[in-house]
């Protein structure tokens, strides 16, 4: 019984990284193409996001509303990060969305109170 093979150091042809080399060819090609996008070669910060049009890198703290590479408008609060899209900034307020419900509840309760005391 010999020692178990280590998965670091010199990597031979039986190492798991070599045996899977052709398993993700489509993903690897996508990442190679992504590396050619505007701003990628320059690197960036931890919270960069990508333009939805040209896929160029936009610094997270970038205050403009358009892409510095292609000029496309950065729309809404959605941001495309490395492999996901998220809404990074919460809406300003839920007040406008809840206002119709609050008015309806107030109106119904007022009518119920009037009906109760008028009988």
């Amino acid at each position: 019984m010999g020692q178990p093979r280590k998965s670091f150091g010199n990597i031979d042809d039986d190492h798991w990284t070599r045996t899977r080399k052709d398993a993700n060819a489509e993903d690897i090609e996508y990442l190679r193409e992504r590396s050619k996008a505007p701003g990628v070669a320059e690197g960036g910060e931890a919270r960069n996001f990508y333009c939805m049009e040209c896929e160029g890198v936009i610094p997270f703290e970038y205050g403009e509303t358009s892409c510095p590479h292609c000029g496309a408008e950065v729309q809404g609060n959605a941001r495309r990060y490395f492999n996901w899209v998220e809404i990074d900034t919460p809406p300003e307020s839920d007040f406008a969305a809840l206002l119709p419900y609050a008015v309806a509840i107030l109106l119904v309760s007022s009518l119920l109170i009037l009906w109760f005391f008028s009988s």
Side-chain angles (χ1 to χ4, degrees):
M1 257 189 163
Q3 292 278 51
R5 295 181 55 187
K6 296 179 180 178
S7 65
F8 57 88
N10 293 331
I11 298 175
D12 62 6
D13 290 336
D14 294 329
H15 190 269
W16 69 269
T17 57
R18 303 279 174 137
T19 58
R20 296 184 62 210
K21 70 179 180 179
D22 296 324
N24 300 312
E26 185 177 320
D27 296 328
I28 291 170
E29 184 58 33
Y30 170 76
L31 293 174
R32 283 190 181 121
E33 286 302 312
R34 284 289 307 124
S35 69
K36 298 174 187 171
V40 173
E42 292 83 7
E45 300 298 322
R47 294 289 290 173
N48 293 328
F49 61 97
Y50 298 108
C51 173
M52 299 286 197
E53 298 295 322
C54 73
E55 297 188 339
V57 174
I58 302 173
F60 182 74
E61 301 300 327
Y62 183 69
E64 298 297 318
T65 58
S66 61
C67 173
H69 309 290
C70 70
E73 182 181 348
V74 177
Q75 300 176 1
N77 293 331
R79 301 284 184 259
R80 178 179 174 217
Y81 291 92
F82 179 67
N83 59 354
W84 71 91
V85 174
E86 70 182 41
I87 297 176
D88 201 353
T89 52
E92 294 295 322
S93 170
D94 290 332
F95 180 75
L98 296 176
L99 186 61
Y101 297 106
V103 169
I105 290 170
L106 186 61
L107 181 65
V108 168
S109 23
S110 299
L111 290 173
L112 285 174
I113 290 171
L114 282 173
W115 174 78
F116 180 75
F117 286 112
S118 67
S119 329

